[in-house]
């Protein structure tokens, strides 16, 4: 589903964000990517989206050889996965319904399909009643649920979320994580980069810990872990 | 592209143009001004080359007799003409022929004179027309001397000859073309710049939206098209305004100038009608409008597509 082989990333300013990452995530998994700020989580996620390219190594996603694919193919890669961001990224001048429908419109989906899929997606995230409301009339947690509905509306096999609860209070964070877990139970592979120690520790999912661009721990039913200890061991 | 996608794109394009009213109006104005200036020069050059063509169809020299001359007096004039040393050929044009020619010439301007057929000629016959001789010269360079000599023959009323006008007009036409080409280039660059800036504003205002679209997998063309439509709308509306303005101006000039042309000569020189070139002008305008609009917008969106 997702595979990183010896991925090294050096930004143009000289910063080395990833130093030889090997990672394999299979279909149906639920994976937390954890690590302190600046450890390289977002860089990893951006490579899945082909927002950044590895300086060395290969990235495979949903059968695409992402690191060597043509620019024109990128939209199709992105349609094959759902993406959720810390800042929601909803269109302010479109209603909740229109925001979700838009993700289908750009794929030139049939109007009939759109009318069928969008309510289903909104029901899944529990926002059927707010379909005709604009994003600025929603709480942060609700906005993030709209973003998840949008990410799921095209039935992607993979959902990636970079700090999806970063702008939310603890209660809403829990709601979002539970929702993502439910999405996973329905068969979607889910990858979440996060800081939420308590949530990670409680959920007992696979945890990939990354520090200064190196994977320092990869554990099934893992805990967030002690960053200081990890650092000491591997430095 | 699917029809529903085309609909979406056109709707977005129109919305973009509308949301960006002030700059859109300014750009339409600039495009219209550029096309009007170009149009004026273009129409002048078309008329000049039409004039040149008409002139080159004309004889080198024509000698008109007094309309009241009797046949034997006309024969004397012919003798006098042939005595001149510079005559290669002289062909007589009878009163009847001259009258027919005049009728035929004026019939071309029927619409303008609002006559159908011969009503206008009621009460007239060929008797008021002069007999004339169409002359070819051995040495056209001496035409002014020859004309002077022929004018002195008894019964000759007027001698018309070509005075190097063709060469002069060709030269003028050439320069008008060069200038209009130069003008259109400069004006189009300005128009391109203005349109591209207008659309840059739209793109900038919607950069977040573009970014989101890229993340959820919209293709570059899907993102680009509404902006191109915006540019095309600006270009076409500018072209339309320019066409309406130039047609109005040209129609006025045509009526006025054709009246004068008919008064001063029996020659087949007249202003080209708008109906004959209108389609060409509107075609050129549309092509330029669409090209400037779409190229301008492609320039301005390039930067934001590389997410
Ligand atoms: N576009 C960029 N250009 C230069 N350096 C960057 C860029 N993006 C991230 N970095 C650097 O790469 C490292 C990893 O960043 P990031 O992947 O954002 O970490 P995280 O998401 O874990 O906080 C950091 O040192 C950061 O400063
Ligand atoms: Mg980050």
């Amino acid at each position: 589903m997702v595979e990183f082989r010896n991925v090294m990333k050096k930004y143009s300013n000289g910063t080395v964000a990833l130093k030889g990452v090997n990672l394999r995530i299979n279909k149906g998994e639920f994976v937390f990517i954890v690590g302190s700020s600046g450890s390289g989580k977002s860089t990893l996620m951006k490579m899945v989206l082909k927002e950044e390219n590895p300086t060395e190594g290969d990235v495979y996603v949903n059968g695409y050889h992402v690191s060597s694919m043509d620019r024109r193919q990128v939209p199709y890669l992105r349609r094959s996965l759902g993406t959720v961001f810390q800042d929601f990224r909803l269109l302010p001048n479109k209603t909740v319904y229109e925001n979700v429908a838009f993700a289908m419109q750009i794929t030139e989906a049939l109007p009939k399909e759109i009318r069928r899929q969008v309510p289903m997606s909104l029901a899944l995230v529990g926002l059927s009643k707010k379909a005709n409301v604009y994003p600025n009339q929603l709480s942060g947690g609700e906005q993030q649920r709209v973003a998840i509905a949008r990410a799921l509306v095209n039935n992607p096999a993979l959902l990636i979320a970079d700090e999806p609860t970063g702008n939310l209070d603890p209660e809403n964070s829990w709601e979002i994580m539970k929702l993502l877990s439910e999405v996973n139970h329905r068969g979607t592979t889910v990858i979440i980069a996060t800081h939420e120690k308590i949530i990670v520790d409680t959920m007992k999912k696979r945890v990939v810990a990354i520090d200064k661009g190196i994977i320092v721990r990869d554990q099934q039913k893992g805990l967030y872990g002690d960053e200081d200890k990890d650092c000491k061991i591997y430095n | 592209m699917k029809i529903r996608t085309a609909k979406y794109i056109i709707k977005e394009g129109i919305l973009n143009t509308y949301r960006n009213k002030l700059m859109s109006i300014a750009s339409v104005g600039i495009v219209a001004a550029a096309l009007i200036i170009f149009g004026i020069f273009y129409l002048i050059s078309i008329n000049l080359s039409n004039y040149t063509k008409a002139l080159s169809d004309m004889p080198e020299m024509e000698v008109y007799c007094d309309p009241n001359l009797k046949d034997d007096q006309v024969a004397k004039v012919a003798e006098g003409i042939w005595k001149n040393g510079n005559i290669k050929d002289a062909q007589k044009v009878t009163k009847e022929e001259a009258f027919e020619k005049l009728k035929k010439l004026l019939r071309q301007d029927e619409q303008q004179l609002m006559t159908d057929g011969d009503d206008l000629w009621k009460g007239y016959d060929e008797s008021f027309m002069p007999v004339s001789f169409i002359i070819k010269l051995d040495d056209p360079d001496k035409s002014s001397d020859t004309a002077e000599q022929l004018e002195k023959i008894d019964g000759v009323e007027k001698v018309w000859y070509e005075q190097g006008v063709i060469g002069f007009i060709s030269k003028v036409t050439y320069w008008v073309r060069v200038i209009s080409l130069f003008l259109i280039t400069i004006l189009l660059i300005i128009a391109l710049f203005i349109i591209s800036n207008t659309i840059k504003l739209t793109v900038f205002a919607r950069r977040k939206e573009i970014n989101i679209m890229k993340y959820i997998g919209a293709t570059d063309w899907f993102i680009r098209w509404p902006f191109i439509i915006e540019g095309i709308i600006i270009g076409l509306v500018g072209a339309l305004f320019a066409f309406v303005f130039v047609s109005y101006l040209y129609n006025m000039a045509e009526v006025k100038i054709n009246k004068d042309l008919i008064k001063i000569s029996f020659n087949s020189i007249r202003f080209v009608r708008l109906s004959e070139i209108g389609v060409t002008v509107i075609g050129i305008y549309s092509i330029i409008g669409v090209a400037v609009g779409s190229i301008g917008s492609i320039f301005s969106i390039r930067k934001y597509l590389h997410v």
Side-chain angles (χ1 to χ4, degrees), chain A residues 49 51 71 75-76 78-79 83 85 89-91 93 102-103 105-106 108-111 150, chain B residues 1-2 4-5 8 12 19 209 211-220 222 305-307:
Chain A
L49 284 170
E51 192 186 335
R71 224 180 85 74
Y76 303 99
R78 291 182 184 174
R79 285 175 200 184
T83 316
F85 301 95
R89 302 200 189 174
L90 300 174
L91 298 168
N93 51 358
F102 192 56
Q105 246 175 335
I106 60 157
E108 306 199 270
L110 285 168
R150 180 180 64 191
Chain B
M1 187 189 296
K2 307 232 165 78
R4 56 181 173 277
T5 308
Y8 159 83
E12 286 295 303
R19 284 192 197 119
E209 197 172 332
N211 194 275
I212 292 170
M213 286 169 82
K214 292 227 57 157
Y215 277 116
I216 59 180
T219 58
D220 287 354
F222 190 91
L305 273 180
H306 293 275
V307 176

Side-chain angles (χ1 to χ4, degrees), chain A residues 41-42 162-163:
Chain A
K41 303 183 297 293
S42 294
D162 190 358
E163 313 232 15

Side-chain angles (χ1 to χ4, degrees), chain B residues 155-172:
Chain B
V156 170
E157 197 177 66
K158 192 175 115 192
V159 176
W160 177 91
Y161 66 101
E162 207 262 297
Q163 291 164 305
V165 185
I166 297 176
F168 175 69
I169 303 232
S170 306
K171 233 178 253 163
V172 172

Side-chain angles (χ1 to χ4, degrees), chain B residues 117-141:
Chain B
D118 300 325
D119 288 0
L120 184 71
W121 309 104
K122 226 173 234 161
Y124 289 96
D125 60 25
E126 66 274 14
S127 63
F128 79 98
M129 297 297 298
V131 172
S132 66
F133 295 91
I134 290 173
I135 288 165
K136 289 218 167 77
L137 301 173
D138 283 329
D139 182 359
D141 287 347

Side-chain angles (χ1 to χ4, degrees), chain B residues 228-265:
Chain B
I228 295 177
I229 295 292
E230 183 183 356
I232 290 176
I233 290 172
I234 290 171
L236 278 181
V237 173
L240 188 74
F241 274 118
F243 183 73
V244 169
F245 186 84
V246 164
S247 315
Y248 179 74
L249 213 68
Y250 190 79
N251 255 328
M252 281 200 327
E254 187 200 331
V255 171
K256 188 163 164 26
I257 292 175
N258 266 354
K259 231 185 257 165
D260 294 345
L261 283 178
I262 288 174
K263 251 184 258 166
I264 58 167
S265 75

Side-chain angles (χ1 to χ4, degrees), chain B residues 103-156:
Chain B
K103 279 210 272 191
K104 208 169 117 200
L105 180 73
L106 292 186
R107 210 170 287 137
Q108 290 176 353
D109 289 298
E110 232 166 17
Q111 287 165 313
Q112 215 140 15
L113 297 171
M114 300 217 310
T115 75
D116 56 338
D118 300 325
D119 288 0
L120 184 71
W121 309 104
K122 226 173 234 161
Y124 289 96
D125 60 25
E126 66 274 14
S127 63
F128 79 98
M129 297 297 298
V131 172
S132 66
F133 295 91
I134 290 173
I135 288 165
K136 289 218 167 77
L137 301 173
D138 283 329
D139 182 359
D141 287 347
K142 286 186 192 148
S143 56
S144 70
D145 289 345
T146 310
E148 227 168 86
Q149 290 154 12
L150 294 179
E151 225 154 26
K152 284 183 189 139
I153 298 171
D154 251 357
V156 170

Side-chain angles (χ1 to χ4, degrees), chain A residues 11 13 15 17 36-44 46 52 163:
Chain A
Y11 283 108
N13 68 356
T15 311
S36 55
S37 181
S39 57
K41 303 183 297 293
S42 294
T43 303
L44 199 88
K46 283 176 182 168
E52 294 289 350
E163 313 232 15

